[in-house]
Amino acid sequence: MKKLIAGNWKMNGSAGTAGSLIWEVESKIQAQPDLLEECDFVVCPPFVHLETVKEKCRKVALGAQDCSQQKNGAYTGDISAAMLNDVGAQYVILGHSERRQYHKEDDKLVHDKAVAANAHGLVTIICVGETEAEREAGRQNEVVGAQMEASIPQTANHKNTVIAYEPVWAIGTGKTATADDIRDMHAFIRGQLSQKMADAAEVRVLYGGSVKPSNAREIFSVPNVDGALIGGASLKADDYIGIAAATLS
Ligand code: PGA
């Protein structure tokens, strides 16, 4: 299966920098077309830059960082899955730990957002992961298992769902989980998926948390790692493409 190289731009940039970043990324892919044999690409800019980025997307798919669970109506400030589909988004990140933490999103809400997203043809990137305290207490499987159980909808399959394992303590901190930790968790996640879906072996499971060009090769060599969800390093075209290049032999 091709690796999914997903860039989460978070709340960064202007229309100008978003436009130049996607342009640089596309140029680098064009200069190194063998990357497309190994990787699929998606970038998730802030909502207001989706259209700017879409205009320049050629090989890279467009994604958003969140969507509403509601269809439409009096929900000030929210963006529906239908609106994302309308501007050309194909993916949406849901349940990122920053949304869980700063916006009090819980698994039920992530589940309902995923149902809405799938109903409008979006592929969800559902994020799960334990905090440092939970890992220290040895509770990582229990926590991630519970998140998966409650947030992945019944209708999920390998075409409409991607899982991203992001240990909260590794996001934006420069700390990465060890290859052994990633192997154990990704195997656990695959096992959980196979209890839920017939096509579990084909569902992409991404790793996220301080992925960079220097650690990408090791991370991608871990069984059941089908790509990366990249924050900070996705804001530099060289680093983002450098991570993708780690899939080449
Ligand atoms: P990071 O973020 O790569 O900056 O650690 C990853 C994420 O939050 O998706």
Side-chain angles (χ1 to χ4, degrees):
M1 139 167 47
K2 283 193 196 182
K3 301 267 195 262
L4 181 64
I5 310 297
N8 174 9
W9 292 2
K10 306 193 180 181
M11 194 173 73
N12 291 293
S14 61
T17 60
S20 47
L21 180 53
I22 184 62
W23 186 85
E24 259 191 90
V25 165
E26 287 284 358
S27 316
K28 285 177 192 294
I29 294 171
Q30 211 178 0
Q32 222 179 324
D34 49 340
L35 287 174
L36 294 167
E37 310 278 311
E38 303 295 332
C39 306
D40 290 325
F41 293 91
V42 53
V43 295
C44 304
F47 289 132
V48 290
H49 300 146
L50 284 168
E51 290 205 88
T52 306
V53 172
K54 176 66 195 167
E55 277 169 26
K56 296 192 169 65
C57 280
R58 299 291 177 268
K59 302 297 184 192
V60 179
L62 187 69
Q65 299 172 19
D66 182 38
C67 74
S68 173
Q69 74 279 22
Q70 305 290 353
K71 281 203 180 84
N72 61 274
Y75 301 100
T76 303
D78 285 345
I79 303 284
S80 70
M83 291 170 181
L84 296 179
N85 179 296
D86 188 44
V87 293
Q90 292 164 262
Y91 290 81
V92 61
I93 299 171
L94 294 177
H96 190 281
S97 64
E98 287 151 15
R99 302 236 25 118
R100 291 176 186 265
Q101 187 181 349
Y102 304 134
H103 296 270
K104 307 282 173 281
E105 294 198 1
D106 61 13
D107 293 325
K108 164 81 170 75
L109 181 59
V110 175
H111 169 277
D112 293 351
K113 288 182 172 196
V115 169
N118 288 158
H120 289 91
L122 300 173
V123 179
T124 58
I125 302 177
I126 297 180
C127 302
V128 294
E130 80 287 357
T131 62
E132 192 152 34
E134 288 162 346
R135 177 160 283 268
E136 276 167 9
R139 295 183 52 227
Q140 62 272 19
N141 288 9
E142 179 198 327
V143 169
V144 169
Q147 288 172 336
M148 290 178 67
E149 182 55 35
S151 56
I152 301 174
Q154 286 294 333
T155 49
N157 59 49
H158 79 280
K159 294 199 177 120
N160 65 16
T161 305
V162 173
I163 306 299
Y165 168 56
E166 298 204 304
V168 178
W169 46 273
I171 296 175
T173 56
K175 293 186 201 170
T176 334
T178 65
D180 283 351
D181 291 341
I182 299 173
R183 187 199 56 219
D184 291 351
M185 181 56 82
H186 279 241
F188 172 75
I189 289 174
R190 186 76 65 200
Q192 295 294 108
L193 288 173
S194 56
Q195 292 177 16
K196 260 184 120 76
M197 343 174 167
D199 59 354
E202 293 167 85
V203 176
R204 278 164 157 160
V205 183
L206 313 184
Y207 172 78
S210 299
V211 179
K212 42 190 184 255
S214 58
N215 61 20
R217 190 172 291 275
E218 186 184 12
I219 292 169
F220 289 150
S221 70
V222 175
N224 293 305
V225 173
D226 308 309
L229 182 55
I230 308 154
S234 72
L235 296 171
K236 288 193 189 130
D238 273 340
D239 287 353
Y240 178 68
I241 295 299
I243 290 167
T247 62
L248 303 175
S249 44

